[in-house]
Amino acid sequence: MSRAGGTWVGARVPRNEDARLLTGRAQFVEDVEPPGALHAAFVRSDLPAGRLRGLDVERARAHPGVHAVFTAADLGPLLRPGAVLVPPPPLEGLVFHARTALPLVRERIRHQGEALAMIVADSRYVAEDAAQLVEADIEPLDPVVDLGRALDEDAPRIHDDLPSNLAAYVRQAKGDYAAARARADLVLERRFSYDRGIGGAIENRAVVAEWDARADRLQVWDTTQAPIPVRNVVAAALGLSESQVRFIAPFVGGGFGPKIMFYAEEILVPWASIRLGRPVKWVEDRYENFFATTQERGQLHEAEISVTREGRILGVRDIFIHDSGAYDPYGLTIPINTQCTLLGPYRVPNYESEFRVAFTNKPIVTPVRGAGRQHGVFIMERLLDLAARGLGLDPVEIRRRNVIGSDEFPYNHEIMYQDFAPLRYDSGSYEESLEEAVRLVGHETFPRERERAQPDGRVVGVGVVNYVEGTGIGPYEGARITVEPGGTVRLATGVGTQGQGHFTSFAQIVADAIGVQPSDVRVVTGDTSDFHWGTGTFASRGAVVAGNAIHAAAQSVREKILRHAAKALEVDPEDLELADGAARVRGAPDLSVDLGALALSANPLRGAVEPGTEPGLEATSYFGPPYGTTANGTHAVVVAVDPETAMVEILRYIVVHDCGTVINPTIVEGQIHGGVAAGIGNAFYEELVFDEFGGTSNASFMDYLLPTSTDVPPIETAHLETPSTLNPLGTKGVGEGGAIPVAAAFAQAVEDALADIAPGLEILDIPLSPGRLFELLRGAS
Amino acid sequence: MRISARINGSAWSGDVEPRLLLSDFLRSEVGLTGTHVGCEHGVCGACTVQLDGEPVRACLMFAVQIEGHEVTTVEGLAAAAPGEAVSVERLHPVQRALHEAHGLQCGFCTPGILMTAEAFLRENPAPSREEIREAVSGHLCRCTGYHNIVEGVALAAERLAADGPGADRDGDR
């Protein structure tokens, strides 16, 4: 196992950020309140589809304490559609219609919660009072709610200038699926559905903006996963230079994808601050969050697998519809993730995949933890289970026969991934992770456990499924490391942090390179005044892309330290070691100089900095991977199902995963625990219910069920470490892997448990709520 | 309306609007922003504070209801004074245990969980894992999967038991 060579990378270092968070002193955006701040609230549409015929805001404007009410008519040049954040990949035959929302509705309402007006008042309470006084005259239109009918010829059109609700079409293929099918011993075809859910960060979104007219500068605190790109968009929209605008994403209370998006409030709140000459603060409430923040997951698949009688995959064909909601600002990231991740850790010589993206009158869909990968994994793993059943094979055995071997890397799947690079796997441990999970869950002895479990009336089943996760995509991230005269080390990077432990894992990388304690490294993330190059925290890329930029910068600082110390101590740099915050001569520890003293001498007030060198002990580096690195793993779950009530209890949940070099095992396990919990929610509890008028019927935490501590079992984890070949640290991402295969594992385990009671039962739809399982059981018996 | 109450051990009195939620009052009037607001309908538990030592949802109460009562927020748990830098050593045993067990990630829900857990361990100093799961089940956390929160509370129980009843922090409030 190759490691970065240090003592801190790989260690269970307790987190640097915790003390502030545990004492209530960590600053979240909601906690920012500049003196004189005004408070904003939005008037939003209750209807998902309609035409705004009139908007009477006069009573709201006249309400005491109200400073302004803005409608589309007030926005001037700001009234233009938002940015398309991710362009579609350059694929042959691609159809892509980019449609993005106006900051405030001008005429057409395309989803519930679209903002009609912005009210700015002395307090949020007053702003909401005034919101009640706004009268909107809306002509209701027939909403498009049912994804399966969104592309019908007679479906109401959501964007009048398009001939249908088709937002995009993509086809990717390799080999010759039709020929493979013709020589298959078994062909299985099924329809699958995967329903909508929310990101569910406990912190809602918030934006606080302060325009300083004297300094000619705008400062914005924002709950974003991408402070730098958002800063750039806002500066351009407001006609300011990027250097005039500082975005700060301080502590952010969970991201999970939706906070990577660009939102209208991120322009409107700063714009209002400039216009009113006062700081303006907006905090989303939970109800708004169910509409105004993006969601994920609605897809319908028709998929087919062709296998030999030995269970070898000859090919897969998958045709699906992806629900983009009312607009498609995030391009095709999600359906392409689905299309690519379906292939998983398996050899699939022939593949034919096409998808249509549909506009519907539902909130906008953009990546949420997993970002479409879970759909692909669900379909592939289900197809393998069904094929195994059809061939009389054990589900583990059919997987053994198809996983890519350790000697087959790099493995090229010959289609294009979301980063516009070919879908190639750099390294992995597919056989090992499967066998380790099988061993940990006791798969071989499981039939005996099943017998033991029967007396209490419940039936027990096991599921073992594989996944891969494309992680750590480009384009790049950067980092600047500075040794300060006090001896502390400062690290600034452009990625924001939403709980991933960056203040610790990034510090570990630095600590190894220059011989300090991780607690000596002060990490600054998500502040554009500290670092203004970068893209953001998404796609499980922080530890990979920012991590390796930090590693590179730390190595450069190390070189500088050694050069300065060699001069100060009059020795050869080769004879020096860096430890305990000092450079010292090997074998003569008394001959040493502190990093702080070196930092001071490297930035002198008199004398000269050597020509051709830079002052200080500081370095800035960037890292961009050639393409994304692929993590992998296997989940094994044991469930007990009550055949009477259809209640499912998870008895054991095991995750064997491989994210390359592990920087901090404790943090990695935390990511996995949280991912699995989110996966359990998606697979079993979380469902957005839309009524016939297209309204969400369960827009509260009372009715939309996030899993609680009594729903998530203890999770057993095992780490494999196959280093990535695409970066010096060997890291791969781990942020989403926990969430991706849960539904597939669940489905296999529940079917296994019910194998005797309902042998023909097939789980093809997610979420698998107890109600849905109950219906399935009734249908099967 | 004029109210007088004790907040984290200090007297507070002043005028508040009758409709002002306790959560908004603590955050914007008193400046105790450690109490977070996640749903405003009493489900997520992030805004949990203690009223006379009992956990309550600050988003389901009005500020005027604390008249004559004692409110403890997350800022009142650690021994450090407001403004003083907080080191791990100065943390309350429940805070410290959550730190050691990696029982928080983004940390947004954490203050509420701490206020529930501290009260729970006073009631039940030697809980089982099942009892801990039950006790924190009124708090939503999207990051941790709860596993390490449960482990953290169990660790806190061990620590508090080892420190003995004399070390009960109620004495230094």
Side-chain angles (χ1 to χ4, degrees), chain A residues 354-711:
Chain A
E354 63 178 61
F355 64 78
R356 285 169 178 76
V357 178
F359 291 119
T360 61
N361 287 116
K362 293 184 191 170
I364 302 167
V365 167
T366 67
V368 175
R369 199 171 202 170
R373 297 176 183 89
Q374 59 271 57
H375 309 65
V377 168
F378 181 70
I379 284 145
M380 185 59 155
E381 296 294 320
R382 295 277 59 209
L383 289 173
L384 285 172
D385 290 341
L386 293 164
R389 201 192 284 184
L391 294 166
L393 279 175
D394 184 279
V396 167
E397 189 52 37
I398 199 169
R399 287 169 170 79
R400 278 189 185 122
R401 292 181 188 181
N402 288 287
V403 289
I404 295 162
S406 295
D407 54 349
E408 295 177 68
F409 294 100
Y411 191 89
N412 191 343
H413 269 306
E414 298 166 46
I415 60 172
M416 188 184 282
Y417 191 48
Q418 59 142 315
D419 59 354
F420 302 2
L423 180 64
R424 280 173 297 196
Y425 298 162
D426 55 325
S427 64
S429 55
Y430 307 160
E431 294 163 319
E432 297 91 321
S433 80
L434 176 60
E435 295 310 329
E436 181 66 0
V438 162
R439 187 184 72 76
L440 289 171
V441 79
H443 196 263
E444 311 304 332
T445 57
F446 191 74
R448 285 205 303 278
E449 196 171 323
R450 192 201 307 274
E451 295 302 316
R452 277 202 303 277
Q454 270 169 349
D456 75 345
R458 298 192 301 176
V459 287
V460 178
V462 63
V464 179
V465 301
N466 295 311
Y467 72 95
V468 298
E469 184 197 354
T471 75
I473 60 170
Y476 75 94
E477 289 299 337
R480 185 180 62 246
I481 296 170
T482 313
V483 181
E484 295 184 348
T488 58
V489 181
R490 180 183 157 78
L491 160 64
T493 174
V495 301
T497 190
Q498 305 92 38
Q500 295 90 341
H502 292 157
F503 295 75
T504 310
S505 50
F506 289 169
Q508 289 173 252
I509 296 170
V510 177
D512 273 349
I514 63 173
V516 296
Q517 304 281 317
S519 57
D520 294 331
V521 183
R522 194 171 153 259
V523 179
V524 179
T525 69
D527 184 339
T528 61
S529 73
D530 272 292
F531 204 85
H532 65 276
W533 294 106
T535 47
T537 307
F538 59 93
S540 300
R541 65 194 289 282
V544 181
V545 190
N548 280 285
I550 291 160
H551 177 66
Q555 293 303 322
S556 298
V557 169
R558 178 186 171 84
E559 293 304 313
K560 287 190 180 180
I561 292 169
L562 289 173
R563 208 163 51 232
H564 281 276
K567 217 169 128 187
L569 296 170
E570 297 178 336
V571 293
D572 197 280
E574 318 271 281
D575 298 331
L576 291 169
E577 62 181 8
L578 302 185
D580 302 328
R584 57 194 189 203
V585 178
R586 271 201 197 87
D590 287 350
L591 277 177
S592 79
V593 55
D594 287 348
L595 298 191
L598 282 176
L600 200 58
S601 69
N603 182 27
L605 287 173
R606 293 291 181 274
V609 168
E610 231 173 90
T613 68
E614 293 162 352
L617 300 179
E618 179 174 287
T620 301
S621 297
Y622 297 89
F623 178 77
Y627 55 96
T629 175
T630 305
N632 69 276
T634 305
H635 286 205
V637 60
V638 180
V639 299
V641 184
D642 185 331
E644 297 294 317
T645 62
M647 284 304 290
V648 178
E649 187 193 350
I650 304 169
L651 302 178
R652 285 185 77 190
Y653 204 104
I654 294 160
V655 177
V656 178
H657 82 102
D658 190 337
C659 64
T661 304
V662 172
I663 299 171
N664 185 324
T666 304
I667 287 174
V668 165
E669 284 158 16
Q671 287 287 319
I672 290 167
H673 295 167
V676 170
I680 289 172
N682 300 164
F684 215 66
Y685 298 102
E686 296 175 41
E687 183 168 18
L688 284 162
V689 181
F690 293 89
D691 62 26
E692 68 211 275
F693 308 108
T696 306
S697 326
N698 60 337
S700 83
F701 278 167
M702 207 90 84
D703 302 310
Y704 181 93
L705 303 179
L706 293 180
T708 71
S709 54
T710 49
D711 303 318

Side-chain angles (χ1 to χ4, degrees), chain B residues 68-115:
Chain B
H69 292 281
E70 160 105 41
V71 176
T72 310
T73 70
V74 69
E75 288 92 342
L77 273 186
E84 189 185 333
V86 171
S87 62
V88 168
E89 294 69 35
R90 306 279 309 259
L91 297 178
H92 182 278
V94 183
Q95 291 170 315
R96 192 163 178 176
L98 236 55
H99 166 65
E100 289 175 21
H102 188 34
L104 65 155
Q105 290 183 28
C106 82
F108 191 81
C109 68
T110 309
I113 289 172
L114 287 167
M115 300 319 289

Side-chain angles (χ1 to χ4, degrees), chain A residues 14-26 28-33 123 125-126 129 198-204 251-254 256 281 284-287 290 297 368-369 498-501 666-671 673-675 677-678 681-682 686 699-702 704 706-716, chain B residues 17 19-25 27-28 32-44 46 74-78 80-88 91 94-111 114 130 132-148 150-151:
Chain A
R15 299 203 319 170
N16 286 339
E17 51 267 66
D18 283 358
R20 275 184 286 169
L21 291 163
L22 285 160
T23 51
R25 292 167 191 215
F28 291 87
V29 175
E30 259 191 279
D31 305 338
V32 176
E33 186 140 342
S123 76
Y125 286 66
V126 173
D129 290 342
I198 63 165
I202 307 302
E203 180 202 45
N204 291 306
F251 282 98
V252 173
F256 313 117
K281 176 173 181 173
E284 183 185 55
D285 70 25
R286 182 56 60 187
Y287 183 69
F290 274 89
R297 290 196 188 97
V368 175
R369 199 171 202 170
Q498 305 92 38
Q500 295 90 341
T666 304
I667 287 174
V668 165
E669 284 158 16
Q671 287 287 319
H673 295 167
N682 300 164
E686 296 175 41
S700 83
F701 278 167
M702 207 90 84
Y704 181 93
L706 293 180
T708 71
S709 54
T710 49
D711 303 318
V712 182
I715 295 153
E716 305 160 51
Chain B
E17 248 194 280
R19 66 168 174 171
L20 186 65
L21 294 178
L22 177 57
S23 48
D24 290 336
F25 165 76
R27 293 177 49 79
S28 56
L32 295 171
T33 55
T35 300
H36 297 151
V37 176
C39 74
E40 287 182 292
H41 50 259
V43 178
C44 80
V74 69
E75 288 92 342
L77 273 186
E84 189 185 333
V86 171
S87 62
V88 168
L91 297 178
V94 183
Q95 291 170 315
R96 192 163 178 176
L98 236 55
H99 166 65
E100 289 175 21
H102 188 34
L104 65 155
Q105 290 183 28
C106 82
F108 191 81
C109 68
T110 309
L114 287 167
E130 285 317 299
I132 296 171
R133 280 194 181 266
E134 203 59 52
V136 299
S137 67
H139 292 267
L140 295 177
C141 168
R142 193 61 150 172
C143 294
T144 63
Y146 305 103
H147 182 104
N148 288 343
V150 175
E151 292 306 305

Side-chain angles (χ1 to χ4, degrees), chain A residues 17-365:
Chain A
E17 51 267 66
D18 283 358
R20 275 184 286 169
L21 291 163
L22 285 160
T23 51
R25 292 167 191 215
Q27 189 179 57
F28 291 87
V29 175
E30 259 191 279
D31 305 338
V32 176
E33 186 140 342
L38 301 174
H39 297 261
F42 287 87
V43 179
R44 297 182 184 276
S45 171
D46 289 329
L47 288 171
R51 228 176 272 284
L52 183 62
R53 287 190 298 219
L55 193 62
D56 183 354
V57 299
E58 289 318 310
R59 283 175 65 212
R61 278 195 175 126
H63 190 71
V66 170
H67 289 252
V69 179
F70 299 116
T71 68
D74 302 307
L75 295 184
L78 272 194
L79 192 68
R80 53 171 180 252
V84 176
L85 296 174
V86 182
L91 286 164
E92 203 186 310
L94 168 98
V95 175
F96 179 66
H97 302 297
R99 290 296 179 275
T100 57
L102 297 170
L104 293 172
V105 168
R106 180 171 47 201
E107 195 230 342
R108 189 66 181 264
I109 294 159
R110 297 190 176 88
H111 70 82
Q112 189 178 7
E114 273 204 275
L116 309 178
M118 177 191 193
I119 296 175
V120 186
D122 283 333
S123 76
R124 176 63 177 253
Y125 286 66
V126 173
E128 291 194 20
D129 290 342
Q132 300 295 316
L133 303 174
V134 171
E135 282 175 42
D137 176 13
I138 298 169
E139 174 197 345
L141 297 173
D142 284 340
V144 177
V145 184
D146 181 353
L147 176 60
R149 302 190 51 195
L151 296 175
D152 287 357
E153 248 173 59
D154 59 350
R157 271 181 300 155
I158 293 166
H159 297 277
D160 285 336
D161 59 324
L162 292 177
S164 73
N165 291 324
L166 182 76
Y169 168 79
V170 168
R171 182 177 188 278
Q172 293 210 72
K174 68 167 173 172
D176 181 346
Y177 179 72
R181 186 186 206 276
R183 58 172 197 277
D185 296 312
L186 178 69
V187 178
L188 282 163
E189 189 185 336
R190 292 291 185 279
R191 285 164 178 262
F192 300 92
S193 72
Y194 212 107
D195 218 332
R196 263 194 190 232
I198 63 165
I202 307 302
E203 180 202 45
N204 291 306
R205 292 185 297 122
V207 182
V208 180
E210 184 173 22
W211 168 249
D212 183 339
R214 288 194 184 88
D216 213 19
R217 271 211 305 247
L218 176 69
Q219 183 151 310
V220 184
W221 293 262
D222 185 10
T223 55
T224 179
Q225 295 171 237
I228 297 166
V230 173
R231 191 273 309 258
N232 297 348
V233 170
V234 169
L238 297 177
L240 298 170
S241 89
E242 291 178 359
S243 59
Q244 273 177 292
V245 183
R246 176 187 184 189
F247 259 70
I248 304 167
F251 282 98
V252 173
F256 313 117
K259 288 177 183 165
I260 195 75
M261 260 298 295
F262 179 76
Y263 292 94
E265 296 91 348
E266 288 168 325
I267 283 190
L268 292 173
V269 173
W271 174 79
S273 174
I274 294 172
R275 218 173 127 132
L276 299 172
R278 296 272 292 270
V280 177
K281 176 173 181 173
W282 169 73
V283 181
E284 183 185 55
D285 70 25
R286 182 56 60 187
Y287 183 69
E288 283 183 290
N289 182 268
F290 274 89
F291 312 104
T293 291
T294 56
Q295 307 177 345
E296 217 210 284
R297 290 196 188 97
Q299 288 185 358
L300 299 171
H301 288 249
E302 287 178 28
E304 168 178 312
I305 189 167
S306 294
V307 291
T308 67
R309 67 174 56 84
E310 295 79 32
R312 296 201 195 281
I313 301 168
L314 293 172
V316 172
R317 181 163 184 266
D318 179 36
I319 296 175
F320 67 98
I321 306 178
H322 170 76
D323 179 0
S324 186
Y327 303 96
D328 57 357
Y330 215 81
L332 300 176
T333 300
I334 299 172
I336 287 185
N337 274 345
T338 305
Q339 183 169 61
C340 288
T341 309
L342 185 143
L343 294 169
Y346 305 111
R347 285 182 226 100
V348 182
N350 301 283
Y351 184 42
E352 198 176 301
S353 167
E354 63 178 61
F355 64 78
R356 285 169 178 76
V357 178
F359 291 119
T360 61
N361 287 116
K362 293 184 191 170
I364 302 167
V365 167

